[in-house]
């Protein structure tokens, strides 16, 4: 195919791809730093041995959390208040990776509106997906 025959990517797709790529990459770097610090320092919020043993024993999540962390279950983004621990830093990186799709979706919506891309049905679906992802990440929507 020559350069003229290749289809051009829509701006919204490029925006989504770039945002998710870079946010995920940054999240992976943070998670890797957290794990490296864990191997060097070993300062962690959870007792990893207890957690693994109780996972294999088939215990429920609340029991595992209480035994491994020594506290009641902390719902939501618990790691944001525990960044002095290396496993919380790793969890921050994982959380950022999960947010990559949220940021990318909103970037895609903005790109569709700014570029006036057609068909408009894609814009409607992109807004619905962005709202659902945002509500899910904020903890407003849950599967329990």
């Amino acid at each position: 195919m020559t350069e003229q025959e290749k289809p051009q990517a829509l701006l919204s797709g490029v925006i989504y791809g770039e945002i998710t790529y870079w946010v995920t990459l940054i999240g992976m770097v943070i998670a890797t730093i957290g794990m490296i610090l864990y191997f060097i320092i070993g300062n962690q919020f959870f007792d990893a041995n207890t957690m693994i043993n109780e996972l294999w024993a088939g215990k429920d999540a609340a029991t595992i959390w209480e035994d491994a962390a020594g506290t009641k279950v902390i719902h939501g983004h618990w790691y944001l208040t525990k960044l002095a621990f290396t496993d919380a830093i790793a969890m921050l990186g994982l959380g950022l990776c999960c947010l990559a799709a949220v940021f990318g979706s909103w970037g895609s919506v903005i790109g569709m509106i700014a570029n006036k891309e057609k068909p408009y049905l894609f814009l409607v679906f992109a807004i619905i997906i962005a709202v659902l992802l945002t509500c899910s990440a904020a903890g407003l929507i849950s599967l329990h």
Side-chain angles (χ1 to χ4, degrees), residues 48-101:
N49 290 331
T50 302
M51 184 174 61
I52 298 281
N53 290 335
E54 293 191 5
L55 277 170
W56 282 111
K59 294 186 179 179
D60 65 298
T63 303
I64 294 171
W65 184 285
E66 289 178 15
D67 292 343
T71 180
K72 296 278 187 194
V73 176
I74 305 170
H75 296 284
H77 302 284
W78 63 269
Y79 50 89
L80 294 175
T81 59
K82 309 280 186 209
L83 289 176
F85 296 100
T86 56
D87 52 355
I89 295 170
M91 192 64 202
L92 173 67
L94 292 174
L96 190 58
C97 287
C98 294
L99 283 175

Side-chain angles (χ1 to χ4, degrees), residues 9-12 15 109-118 120:
L10 295 175
L11 178 63
S12 59
I15 291 172
V109 167
I110 292 168
M112 285 182 188
I113 293 170
N115 201 31
K116 296 181 173 79
E117 290 181 4
K118 297 176 186 171
Y120 296 111

